Amino acid sequence: MLHVLPPLPYDYNSLEPFIDEETMRIHHTKHHQTYVDKLNAALGGHKEFEALDADELLKNLDRIPEDIRTAVRNHGGGHSNHSFFWPLLKKNVPFGGAVSERILKQFGSLEKFREDFSNRAALLFGSGWTWLTLDQGKLEIMTTANQDSPLSVGKTPVLGLDVWEHAYYLKYQNRRPDYIKAFFEVINWEKVNEHFYKAG
Ligand code: MN
């Protein structure tokens, strides 16, 4: 299939002041678009993978020919991760639903979860992602380097945070912890619940 950039499910300025319009515009139209373009370029001529979307490609990296595997891992990961990320962001969605109960049960409080997740995100060296995954009924915080996807190691994400500098540098410069704090103001808990139900 020809992979395409999914439209943002909101306006570029919708997450202001937590995530600024210019960052959202560049991140979506330049960074994400480039992952899509490079994934298509890598897969060009490989008709055997035409039926697979990016998530399926990442779940089956061992089936991808070696000469394009790294490109699929990086750019397919970039496409999949960002497609997952955009709908997770929305202002003014209260913490609630089944996932909130599970978070309270496992982490003790939202505050404790926020602290654990934020520490993992802040301490992640270099570029990568911080995730909350659900596997066999258990929530887990994990990180991946670069654009690696939890799907490639058999994990199912319900929440993810892009901690590449391109996600925050224009507004927050080197202050990654401030960006992480802002992220918690724009988590779309309804979407996290959707992922939680599907994964459970
Ligand atoms: Mn990004």
Side-chain angles (χ1 to χ4, degrees), residues 27 31 35 82 86 129 147 162 164 166-167:
H27 200 176
H31 291 278
Y35 295 124
H82 289 84
W86 307 128
W129 291 72
Q147 293 296 351
D162 186 347
W164 282 56
H166 69 225

Side-chain angles (χ1 to χ4, degrees), residues 4 20 24 37 42 50 54 56 74 107 112 120 133 137 139 143 169 178 193-194 199:
V4 294
D20 61 290
M24 288 302 294
D37 293 344
E50 249 175 14
E56 288 162 335
N74 290 340
F107 295 89
K112 183 66 170 69
R120 292 295 296 275
T133 63
L139 291 174
T143 60
Y169 204 83
D178 290 352
N193 271 293
E194 274 178 38

Side-chain angles (χ1 to χ4, degrees), residues 19-20 23 27 85 162-169 172 179:
I19 303 180
D20 61 290
T23 295
H27 200 176
F85 185 52
D162 186 347
V163 289
W164 282 56
E165 281 188 347
H166 69 225
Y168 61 87
Y169 204 83
Y172 295 101
Y179 161 69

Side-chain angles (χ1 to χ4, degrees), residues 44-196:
H46 287 270
K47 294 214 176 298
E48 67 273 32
F49 300 118
E50 249 175 14
L52 301 186
D53 66 21
D55 289 2
E56 288 162 335
L57 290 167
L58 295 165
K59 288 177 189 167
N60 295 284
L61 278 179
D62 55 331
R63 284 175 47 202
I64 308 292
E66 242 179 275
D67 62 322
I68 62 166
R69 192 179 301 153
T70 300
V72 169
R73 176 175 171 175
N74 290 340
H75 304 300
H79 179 31
S80 166
N81 291 342
H82 289 84
S83 299
F84 182 78
F85 185 52
W86 307 128
L88 286 171
L89 307 176
K90 193 178 180 183
K91 282 199 293 196
N92 301 318
V93 181
F95 177 63
V99 79
S100 72
E101 287 164 26
R102 188 67 61 86
I103 285 173
L104 295 179
K105 192 175 157 201
Q106 272 193 239
F107 295 89
S109 66
L110 174 58
E111 245 344 280
K112 183 66 170 69
F113 166 67
R114 183 204 299 254
E115 196 184 305
D116 288 0
F117 188 96
S118 299
N119 284 340
R120 292 295 296 275
L123 293 171
L124 173 60
F125 184 74
S127 298
W129 291 72
T130 304
W131 306 94
L132 182 66
T133 63
L134 181 71
D135 287 286
Q136 292 164 353
K138 196 168 184 296
L139 291 174
E140 266 182 330
I141 297 169
M142 70 177 284
T143 60
T144 57
N146 305 311
Q147 293 296 351
D148 286 353
S149 167
L151 300 171
S152 298
V153 290
K155 303 281 185 183
T156 308
V158 298
L159 177 67
L161 174 61
D162 186 347
V163 289
W164 282 56
E165 281 188 347
H166 69 225
Y168 61 87
Y169 204 83
L170 288 179
K171 183 175 173 75
Y172 295 101
Q173 292 82 50
N174 60 322
R175 302 186 307 279
R176 189 192 283 182
D178 290 352
Y179 161 69
I180 297 167
K181 205 171 158 200
F183 167 69
F184 272 87
E185 300 292 330
V186 294
I187 294 178
N188 182 351
W189 289 107
E190 286 176 15
K191 185 54 77 175
V192 182
N193 271 293
E194 274 178 38
H195 293 305
F196 182 78

